[in-house]
Every structure is written in C-alpha cells, then in structure tokens.
Amino acid sequence: MNFNTVKLVYFSPTGTTAKILNGIAEGFGANEIEQMDLTLPTADNLKPDGSKDEFVIFGVPVYEGRVSRTAIPRLRQLKADKTPAVVVVVYGNRDFEDALIELSDLTRELGFLPVAGGAFIGEHSFATANRQMANGRPDGQDIIAAKKFGSKIRAKLRTLGSIDEASIITLPGNTTYIDRDRSALADKSASTLDKDCTLCGECASICPVGAIIIEDTVKTDSQACILCNACVKNCSAGARVVDDPIVNKIANWVSKNFQARREPEIFI
Ligand SMILES: Cc1cc2nc3c(=O)[nH]c(=O)nc-3n(C[C@H](O)[C@H](O)[C@H](O)COP(=O)(O)O)c2cc1C
Ligand code: SF4
Ligand code: SF4
C-alpha cells in the first residue's frame, strides 16, 4: 500500500502533539499533509464532508494516564471503514499508562485500523521556568525520532498488499483503563493577574473549552477549565497563571520524581 496524502487528526492545547505528528508526517514523506485540528470548541460540531480518508495519524496528549477527555467526543464524530491509521500519544515525561491503548481502541471502534502506535514526550503542561518538566520538548532528538517513525510506517505499509493483510499491533497498557479520582481538581482553573492583563483576548481565542470570557476583566469558568495551560503559555503579558496549592503540589511532585529523560517508544 502506498499513500500520497496523510491526514493528521489531533487535539493539542499547548502544541507539542501537533509538532510530533507533523514530524511523523514529514518522515512518512507524503505529498500532501492535511491538518484536522480538534483543539478549539468549533471541533465539537464537525461536519464530515463524506470523502474517504486514505491514511490518518491520530494524536492526543495524555491527561492522568488517559486520552484527554475533551478530545474523545470530538474524535467520535469521525467514521471510517478499515482506513489505516497510526495512533500517537504525547506525555509530559511522567508516564502514558493506558492512553495509547485507549486511543487505539477508540479509533478501532470508529472503523480505523491502527497499523502502528507511538508514545512521545512533550513539555509538560504544568512546566514553568522554575519547575522543569521536560521543558522544550519535543526537541531536535524527538523530532528525528518522529521522522524515523514516519519512514518506518511508510516501509511497513509498502509490505502490505491490502489493509486486510495488516496484523493487530500489540500496545502497552490495560484495557480496564486507569481511572484516577480527579475530584480535587474539578473546580481548579487558570486565573488572570489583572494588573498585568492588557485584555488582548488571545487567551479566550485559544481556550479549547471556551472557558474564558473577556469583559472589563478576564472571567474564567472554573468548572469548564481543563487545566491545559494553553492560556498560560500563550499570554504574552505573562498574566495567566495556574496558581493553586493542590495543583502546585501535584505538579511539584511530578517535577521532583520524573526528571530522568524518557525517550519515545514506537510499536510497529
Ligand atoms: C490535566 C493534565 C494531566 C496530565 N497528565 C499527564 C500524565 O498523566 N502523564 C504525563 O506524563 N503527562 C501528563 N500531562 C502532560 C501532557 O501530557 C503533556 O504536557 C503534553 O505534551 C501536552 O500536549 P499538548 O502540547 O499537545 O497540549 C498532563 C497535562 C495536563 C494538563
Ligand atoms: S492573553 Fe493575557 S493579556 Fe491577553 S486577555 Fe488573556 S490574560 Fe489578558
Ligand atoms: S482557561 Fe483552562 S482550559 Fe482554557 S486555555 Fe486556560 S487552562 Fe486551558
């Protein structure tokens, strides 16, 4: 099987998942790379155009060892009939636990056939200059690994006469996906330092769940916020912060205990 077009389907609030997928697509060597970015709330109402995809690479960030909850209903709008696919999760150097197998199961349920999977590392959403958590990743080495993965996928597909010849890939993780109690985080959110805010509106325009409204000050719906940190990392005035004792305790624990560099893992 040979493909000229690859579609990238991703949810990526802070952009690391999108970077990895584009690296894989580059290594794959497609003539055309189509981007289906499901990060913004507009992706809640996709209108599939009915055309059939040839080959799709899915990517999501790992949240609490699972596929980001916000991404799931957005992905569920896609349907396929034995379309070859690759599943990729990106995590902040702690662990990806059951996220990769969960993404594989989900895409399979939608009619895709995963022929390869990968777990890559991206700067942790909660990383700051003072709290190192895979800061700056994916770096050059990660992008080289992503490109190599892309060329291996191309080579594997070339060996197949049809998708029916593809065997089911074995991925790490449990199918009784881990279910952490996140009730302590339910009403936590990013907030604004009003004295530094210029009311530019950037945070509201990039929030994946539409949790931010700009009025005379910036208002945040703390129940809706998923703590993705997109607003924090993209506020040029440095006016958005996640500064909560419980969140800080968890983030500091991760930072302290998961400093050893993890490397990308591929399953093909
Ligand atoms: C709520 C939340 C939970 C997270 N849970 C994990 C986790 O379980 N393991 C991990 O290594 N990283 C975890 N991360 C970090 C992200 O997986 C990582 O930063 C990823 O690169 C973000 O992808 P993005 O840049 O595409 O948004 C979490 C981040 C958030 C916001
Ligand atoms: S991006 Fe920063 S400066 Fe702009 S409105 Fe949001 S908090 Fe204020
Ligand atoms: S308000 Fe919450 S959900 Fe929205 S961008 Fe900021 S951290 Fe992410």
Side-chain angles (χ1 to χ4, degrees), residues 52-96:
K52 273 195 153 186
D53 298 314
E54 286 192 318
F55 174 53
V56 178
I57 307 180
F58 288 96
V60 294
V62 176
Y63 285 3
E64 290 133 8
R66 298 279 300 272
V67 172
S68 148
R69 305 290 77 203
T70 312
I72 291 178
R74 295 182 185 173
L75 289 168
R76 278 197 180 282
Q77 297 170 90
L78 306 180
K79 294 278 173 294
D81 182 13
K82 292 205 235 172
T83 302
V86 170
V87 286
V88 175
V89 296
V90 179
Y91 68 103
N93 202 59
R94 187 188 68 79
D95 202 351
F96 60 97

Side-chain angles (χ1 to χ4, degrees), residues 11-17 61-65 90-95 97 122-126 226-228:
F11 176 76
S12 185
T14 59
T16 62
T17 306
V62 176
Y63 285 3
E64 290 133 8
V90 179
Y91 68 103
N93 202 59
R94 187 188 68 79
D95 202 351
E97 293 172 297
E123 174 171 308
H124 202 293
S125 317
F126 294 111
I226 57 169
L227 293 170
C228 72

Side-chain angles (χ1 to χ4, degrees), residues 212-246:
I212 303 173
I213 296 173
I214 312 285
E215 292 175 343
D216 51 336
T217 58
V218 175
K219 305 272 189 318
T220 307
D221 177 346
S222 61
Q223 296 290 330
C225 175
I226 57 169
L227 293 170
C228 72
N229 279 271
C231 57
V232 176
K233 295 196 180 191
N234 285 288
C235 172
S236 53
R240 281 298 275 184
V241 290
V242 174
D243 190 13
D244 171 88
I246 295 177

Side-chain angles (χ1 to χ4, degrees), residues 192 196-204 214 218 234-237 239-240:
T192 303
D196 297 326
C197 173
T198 60
L199 294 176
C200 71
E202 176 65 9
C203 52
I214 312 285
V218 175
N234 285 288
C235 172
S236 53
R240 281 298 275 184

